[in-house]
Amino acid sequence: MKIAFVGNPNTGKTALINAIAGSDLEVGNWPGVTVEKKEATFRYEGESISLVDLPGAYTLSPYSIEEKITRNVLAYESPDGIVDVVDTTNLRRNLYLTLELIDMQKPMVLALNMFDDFTRRGYTLDLKRLEKILGAYAVPTVASAGLGAKEVIARAIETIKEGKRPRIQPLQEHIEKEVAFLMRKIEQAGVFPYPKRLFAIKLIENDAFAVELAQKAYAEEVLRFAEGARKRLECHIKLPIRTIITRSRYEVIDRILEEVLTEPVVDRVALSERIDAVALHRFYSFPILFAILYLLFRITFDASAPLVEWTGGFFEGYIGPHLHALLSVHLPSWLDSLLVDGVINGVGLVLSFLPLLFFLYFLMALLEESGYMARVSFLLDRLARSLGIKGNAFIAMIMGFGCNVPAIYATRTMTSLRERIITALTIPLMSCSARLPIYALFTALFFEENRAEIIISLYVIGVAIALLIAWAANRILPKSGMKPFFLELPAYHMPTFRAIWVLMWPRLKDFIVRAGTVIVAASIVLWGVIHLPSDADIHDSYLAKGAKIVTPLFEPAGFGRHWEPVAALIPGTIAKEVVIGSLGTIYGIESVRREPSPHDLWEDTKQQAAALKDALIASVRNLFFLSGGSEEDMPAPGTIQTRLKSQFDGPLAAYSYMVFVLLYIPCISTIAAIKEEFGWRLAIFEILFLPLLAYGTSVSVYQIGRIFLS
């Protein structure tokens, strides 16, 4: 039994499926997270049930790829039943899609989601009366808490088994007459995948998909009658046909709501409107946005700094020496070096930044779940239109700050290929979280007092160059018509820890998995290359020789005197975290081996526990007081960090290196996503163009910086 979950974006379809089937699908607070059809299969009372999670859609006359996926699944795959997930706090808009789904005449159940917010705001709904009018069960749900989930699936299965179909909601009399005549013509013409009533309405609307179906069936008489009906209605009502149909549907919705909905004297959503009066103000909105971003990074770095320092010391000063002491007795020296110098130094340096990403993902999820992220797209929509895109392009770009790969897939929400290409060109320039550990390492070494400001400047550089590229692409690519852009501004609400955790855990897990797989593999390969030819000094290895050939090219950028930083950039094309792992491996091997600590394991473990406690206390203190700590409080850099700092001629060279990391080739996964969505031509363009862009920009930054600092 296949049940399709359909609804507007952000109504909680995925969360409801998770609550019903116990699946682990990603939940988001913006259009674009569910970009493909996803299924969760489970057994219910001995039967196999498949729940199809369809992308959010406002209508079955689609504009975006997401809406087309939903329309096509409903038309061609013909699910046994539909669960229409409705945001109860916005019934009028959500019921428009409900009326279209009713016209499909499939067994259907309404899941009235976010019912707790609905009642908290003082609204009441006559459920029995609503069920009688629509001829379908209406179940109150709170998907985030799993409330009502069991009743939804029970009612859906009951409705399907009984073959219960919802009651048609008639439109205006003139429209209904034309629809009835056209349905008879459709019956005479043959079988179409679309239900007859919805097909007739879409033909009268001149919907491209419906017209194409009729043309493929050579139903010329049906098309002629639909055109005649359209002309008669437009002539009679003096409006475009889509406006006529839309107004008629909203008349039906308003009539239904008059019977079933009781509004409060004062709607509590007014609080969101009062907040938006400031947050979306024409003068205050952008300073507020920049202040929020500044606080996000300041809190991230100040709160995570003590834990990052402890984690780095844990691997370099505790795990490494004791593992060496154990392995040097039982294993050959080369295997000991591989595990300690190759893996522990490489992966340990990457994992030391896990606390930083924890705070970053937590704060980003907090903004997403609170409803503020949707406002960012609204604020930037005017700027986007001047670049040939729309505000939802900035949703994809903001997603790129977490990871470029899902951001590329999120371009499917764009309504034209031109918009998608322009947006895709900008996404690799968004500083994904994989770049953040690199920034954190260098700012801790060279910019101790203003780490947050330096990192914000890198994000600004990435966004500014992305907008310039979008501006250029908008003038080069052939023009196409702009289609409507729908953006929902959800009411502000206090996020639950569970909702935040569901958002941030997949991102943290992805980072940990990459550290445990890709970076381990890259560290092992890098260790092997460093030791080839066998018994050679690291400076005479194949890696060193190859890196030394290209290193002088980077002298104008400020980091062309030592081969090690340049060598780390090469495997960084696999995943940006590999840059950190590679530096850890290279400098770990270069460092003089210390003898195992004379302290015993128990004493060192107690010291580590005490240091962790101090780090947690310092982290909490910094979280509330935004105090990065004085220089006296800062722990001494480890061996690897000291080695790295000695190879850069000051902060300007380090900044130039970070700019290069920001702009050069994104990870292999991002290139693969670009190839999958747009083909080889765009993927190859990115591979060739981005290194040149990175080189030119980093050279400019270094040379201009020298002029101003001289």
Side-chain angles (χ1 to χ4, degrees), residues 5-14 28-32 34 53-60 66-67 70 83-101 111 113-114 250 253 486-488:
F5 279 64
V6 190
N8 289 184
N10 305 318
T11 54
K13 299 179 296 297
T14 308
N29 196 39
W30 49 43
T34 309
D53 179 20
L54 294 179
Y58 293 102
T59 173
L60 295 181
E66 286 192 321
E67 290 180 320
T70 296
V83 172
D84 178 23
V85 185
V86 172
D87 176 2
T88 322
T89 64
N90 203 336
L91 277 172
R92 190 172 188 268
R93 176 178 52 73
N94 279 247
L95 286 177
Y96 189 93
L97 179 62
T98 301
L99 293 187
E100 289 190 313
L101 295 174
N113 201 26
M114 306 178 196
Y250 276 115
I253 292 168
F486 301 99
L487 177 66
E488 178 184 2

Side-chain angles (χ1 to χ4, degrees), residues 570-641:
I570 299 169
T573 55
I574 300 171
K576 285 297 171 281
E577 303 97 327
V578 177
V579 173
I580 293 289
S582 300
L583 290 170
T585 300
I586 293 169
Y587 291 129
I589 293 173
E590 282 188 338
S591 300
V592 177
R593 168 76 71 186
R594 294 181 178 181
E595 291 301 317
S597 172
H599 300 105
D600 62 26
L601 181 61
W602 175 243
E603 286 297 322
D604 281 356
T605 303
K606 287 196 296 184
Q607 289 180 12
Q608 288 294 324
L612 175 60
K613 183 186 77 172
D614 293 340
L616 289 169
I617 293 171
S619 178
V620 173
R621 184 182 69 241
N622 292 353
L623 179 63
F624 288 101
F625 296 102
L626 295 182
S627 172
S630 63
E631 290 189 28
E632 292 79 10
D633 296 331
M634 295 293 290
T639 307
I640 295 171
Q641 287 89 333

Side-chain angles (χ1 to χ4, degrees), residues 385-443:
R385 287 181 178 275
S386 67
L387 302 174
I389 50 180
K390 303 191 192 80
N392 55 347
F394 284 99
I395 293 176
M397 292 169 69
I398 291 168
M399 289 178 69
F401 290 140
C403 180
N404 291 171
V405 176
I408 292 293
Y409 290 130
T411 61
R412 294 172 180 174
T413 59
M414 309 289 105
T415 55
S416 72
L417 179 60
R418 185 178 189 275
E419 292 175 57
R420 296 183 67 210
I421 291 174
I422 293 174
T423 307
L425 288 171
T426 67
I427 287 170
L429 304 175
M430 302 298 105
S431 271
C432 65
S433 57
R435 295 173 172 103
L436 195 56
I438 306 171
Y439 304 158
L441 176 63
F442 278 82
T443 52

Side-chain angles (χ1 to χ4, degrees), residues 59 61 96 99-100 103 171-172 174-176 178-179 198 200-206 229-230 233 237 239-253:
T59 173
S61 292
Y96 189 93
L99 293 187
E100 289 190 313
D103 286 337
L171 303 176
Q172 288 181 6
H174 296 291
I175 300 173
E176 285 298 327
E178 299 290 358
V179 169
L198 185 61
I201 294 173
K202 293 300 179 186
L203 282 174
I204 292 173
E205 283 185 321
N206 202 27
R230 182 164 56 253
L233 288 170
I237 303 178
L239 287 171
I241 188 61
R242 292 208 173 186
T243 303
I244 295 170
I245 300 293
T246 300
R247 283 190 177 185
S248 184
R249 287 202 189 278
Y250 276 115
E251 287 173 4
V252 174
I253 292 168

